[in-house]
Amino acid sequence: MLLQSSLSSALRGNRWNLHKVASRHTCRRTESRTSVVQTCNVFQSLHTTCDIRRRSLSLANKIPFCRAQQFSLASSDENMKITGVSDDVAAMIHRHAARPQTGASLQTLMKTGRGEYLHKTYEDHKHDPNDNSKVATDKILMQVAGFLRHELPIRLAHRILDLEGVPHMKEMDSVKQVRDLYITSFLELLSVEKHIRNIKQEEAFAAILESIYERHSSVLVQMARGAFELRAAIRTGSITHGRQSGIGGQTAVEFDAMEDTHAFLDRFYMSRIGIRVLIGQYLSLRQQPIVNYTGLICLRTSPYEIVKRAIDDAAFMCTRKYGDAPEVIVTGQLDLTFPYVPTHLHYIMLELLKNSMRATVDWHGIDAEYPPIKVVIADGKENEDVVIKVSDEGGGIPRSNMKRIWSYLFTTADPAIQEGMVAFNESVDHSIDSPLAGLGYGLPISRSYARYFGGDLSLMSMEGYGTDAFVYLTRLGNTREPLPI
């Protein structure tokens, strides 16, 4: 059957809520010479669910025939097939996954948001840092939208193939739902014209991205639910390793030693952070400006202020569970500010502080005199990093567990708490409503957030005494995303 549809009918057929995006612009048609290739060079220079599947197929029918025909797939090629989608859609996914991803740095996001690279797309544009006119703002939005229209289908295609191929985990229901969700978003993006040439097209594209951003907010918990389902399958022995044991049978999978699954989850979560940063930055640029912010990025992020908020949140969670919480003392460079994404730093600090509080209370016992947790913020003019240290006297971590704490598949929480967490609110990535110990992805996700802009997170522990955690954040912000293949 011929696959054909116009852009307008694809947009009319969109069943998701498209009216939530708050725009500062009218639908004035402003013709531009936006080029996907030129826009990508800007970034390169600086570096569930049957309904979801039904919507995927519906969107597939909206892809113009000439585009689908271009990626036609021989039905005999089993290696190119993807479960639950047509051969033509599978071919499009493979074609996009074969294209290179384009990384962006914190500096690139800031400068693009300020319009410093408009001349790379609009040859007649002269950059004026004080030009806040609507015409300049429209050009910035169309430039960023053009880049995202090119880049996001490529990134989604990479993850779809990864979700389709990961051993063991791909059989979990929650992971299948995430894969279907990514396919739906991939097809929805392809229903939009490749080139964003006027503000009306930009506004329609922004509405679609707003819908995708909201739908994908549950993915973090859905994937953690998939890990929980995998744990359950391993405990019951329904999943075995293909390697032969000494007596000729198959050996049960060692859950914490599933290196392929660990590597897959690292790639998946790092990619997800990148996708949400790009979409979130673009959507934030469309809102009313906030002092000292360029999109999601605060130009004067204060580690001290963020640490204080994280202390309050962690103390609330600890007090709710134990009736009390250890004191936290903050010292060091308290007046430091630098460009960063505050929500990322808050997530990291909340995770470290709640772990330290839980360990301290568990080690010393309820109603004891708790030693304070110490936070040091270090910085100097010549330092390449801003470093934050969190030290506790919570008994430390056994050396045999040090490698396992970075596994998305390892948690010290009991199964009852895990089961409660998988039924927890899906609409947010992280919340103070969650328990102190949950699904086991807090530390590895925190490290991914730190590494996304070129930083890192490391732990040093003394068993029987306590643990020191070190957060490294790059000052310059010129490190490109560590894009997984």
Side-chain angles (χ1 to χ4, degrees):
M1 183 178 70
L2 296 184
L3 303 176
Q4 53 187 350
S5 175
S6 66
L7 172 66
S8 60
S9 64
L11 293 175
R12 284 198 303 270
N14 180 11
R15 293 167 50 192
W16 294 284
N17 184 1
L18 302 181
H19 71 275
K20 292 185 179 179
V21 178
S23 172
R24 293 171 292 169
H25 313 295
T26 64
C27 293
R28 174 176 54 83
R29 303 180 69 86
T30 305
E31 294 299 324
S32 70
R33 287 173 285 183
T34 303
S35 163
V36 170
V37 174
Q38 289 173 315
T39 304
C40 291
N41 286 339
V42 172
F43 286 82
Q44 289 172 326
S45 64
L46 285 174
H47 326 62
T48 329
T49 110
C50 295
D51 184 51
I52 289 177
R53 185 165 296 176
R54 190 161 56 247
R55 286 183 287 184
S56 298
L57 295 174
S58 174
L59 282 165
N61 291 332
K62 293 185 172 71
I63 306 298
F65 170 65
C66 59
R67 192 181 306 170
Q69 189 180 48
Q70 181 182 358
F71 307 125
S72 61
L73 174 70
S75 58
S76 60
D77 190 351
E78 295 297 330
N79 293 328
M80 297 286 282
K81 288 186 177 294
I82 296 176
T83 306
V85 301
S86 68
D87 289 350
D88 288 322
V89 171
M92 285 191 287
I93 292 171
H94 279 278
R95 178 63 179 265
H96 279 78
R99 297 172 182 172
Q101 302 169 91
T102 305
S105 68
L106 192 67
Q107 287 277 7
T108 303
L109 294 175
M110 287 191 296
K111 292 183 177 181
T112 304
R114 292 196 294 254
E116 295 185 28
Y117 297 136
L118 285 176
H119 64 281
K120 293 181 179 290
T121 300
Y122 308 96
E123 295 177 0
D124 58 348
H125 181 84
K126 303 296 183 183
H127 175 63
D128 178 0
N130 298 315
D131 184 6
N132 296 316
S133 67
K134 185 176 183 301
V135 172
T137 303
D138 287 353
K139 285 183 176 181
I140 291 171
L141 293 177
M142 287 189 290
Q143 183 184 54
V144 177
F147 169 73
L148 294 183
R149 170 59 183 84
H150 166 83
E151 180 68 13
L152 291 178
I154 295 174
R155 296 198 183 193
L156 291 175
H158 278 272
R159 301 285 67 79
I160 291 167
L161 294 187
D162 224 6
L163 287 161
E164 178 73 9
V166 59
H168 305 304
M169 206 164 182
K170 68 180 180 181
E171 304 300 330
M172 303 301 108
D173 289 340
S174 295
V175 177
K176 291 178 181 178
Q177 291 172 15
V178 171
R179 185 204 59 199
D180 289 347
L181 183 66
Y182 271 59
I183 293 172
T184 298
S185 299
F186 172 82
L187 292 172
E188 193 173 4
L189 287 168
L190 291 190
S191 71
V192 179
E193 288 291 339
K194 284 186 177 181
H195 303 287
I196 310 295
R197 300 185 184 279
N198 57 61
I199 201 62
K200 187 174 181 179
Q201 291 178 337
E202 184 273 328
E203 288 173 341
F205 182 68
I208 289 175
L209 285 191
E210 175 79 6
S211 176
I212 290 173
Y213 192 83
E214 291 179 1
R215 287 203 309 273
H216 283 243
S217 64
S218 65
V219 165
L220 193 66
V221 172
Q222 280 182 285
M223 290 299 292
R225 183 184 290 116
F228 175 80
E229 293 167 357
L230 186 57
R231 286 190 190 99
I234 290 172
R235 279 197 300 268
T236 61
S238 59
I239 292 181
T240 57
H241 200 288
R243 185 178 53 205
Q244 297 294 312
S245 69
I247 58 174
Q250 290 184 323
T251 59
V253 174
E254 285 292 334
F255 184 69
D256 298 320
M258 297 172 64
E259 294 183 2
D260 290 344
T261 306
H262 293 167
F264 156 75
L265 288 169
D266 260 333
R267 293 191 302 270
F268 181 86
Y269 283 124
M270 185 65 77
S271 175
R272 181 178 184 272
I273 290 171
I275 289 170
R276 290 189 73 75
V277 165
L278 292 180
I279 297 178
Q281 175 72 358
Y282 166 62
L283 294 177
S284 294
L285 289 173
R286 306 187 81 257
Q287 309 305 313
Q288 292 296 325
I290 301 174
V291 177
N292 292 326
Y293 272 81
T294 300
L296 294 175
I297 303 164
C298 179
L299 307 180
R300 297 180 59 82
T301 299
S302 167
Y304 176 56
E305 293 299 324
I306 291 175
V307 167
K308 285 200 302 183
R309 289 198 296 271
I311 290 170
D312 290 341
D313 291 340
F316 168 80
M317 299 169 74
C318 188
T319 303
R320 181 182 60 194
K321 179 174 177 60
Y322 297 108
D324 198 2
E327 179 189 8
V328 181
I329 299 173
V330 185
T331 59
Q333 198 78 16
L334 304 186
D335 59 350
L336 165 69
T337 62
F338 73 114
Y340 207 71
V341 180
T343 53
H344 287 194
L345 182 54
H346 180 269
Y347 180 90
I348 295 168
M349 296 312 302
L350 176 59
E351 182 64 28
L352 295 178
L353 286 165
K354 72 178 187 180
N355 285 352
S356 288
M357 288 185 182
R358 179 170 68 97
T360 299
V361 175
D362 286 345
W363 180 254
H364 293 275
I366 297 176
D367 297 328
E369 288 292 329
Y370 305 127
I373 296 167
K374 298 175 183 178
V375 177
V376 181
I377 301 171
D379 176 62
K381 291 183 179 179
E382 304 302 320
N383 291 10
E384 67 178 61
D385 291 329
V386 174
V387 185
I388 305 174
K389 181 175 77 168
V390 180
S391 300
D392 66 58
E393 296 178 31
I397 303 168
R399 190 162 57 91
S400 59
N401 274 351
M402 287 301 293
K403 184 177 181 180
R404 301 170 76 193
I405 64 174
W406 301 113
S407 167
Y408 296 95
L409 309 177
F410 173 72
T411 179
T412 57
D414 63 55
I417 291 179
Q418 296 176 49
E419 191 168 0
M421 277 295 290
V422 297
F424 178 64
N425 182 6
E426 295 184 353
S427 63
V428 292
D429 282 352
H430 37 83
S431 166
I432 62 172
D433 294 329
S434 61
L436 277 180
L439 291 169
Y441 55 64
L443 277 176
I445 285 288
S446 295
R447 187 171 66 172
S448 293
Y449 272 123
R451 288 179 171 178
Y452 178 74
F453 285 124
D456 208 349
L457 171 61
S458 64
L459 265 65
M460 296 289 290
S461 190
M462 181 184 292
E463 187 177 6
Y465 183 77
T467 301
D468 290 350
F470 297 87
V471 182
Y472 302 91
L473 308 170
T474 55
R475 289 172 55 90
L476 297 179
N478 57 0
T479 304
R480 286 191 293 178
E481 303 170 86
L483 294 174
I485 297 175

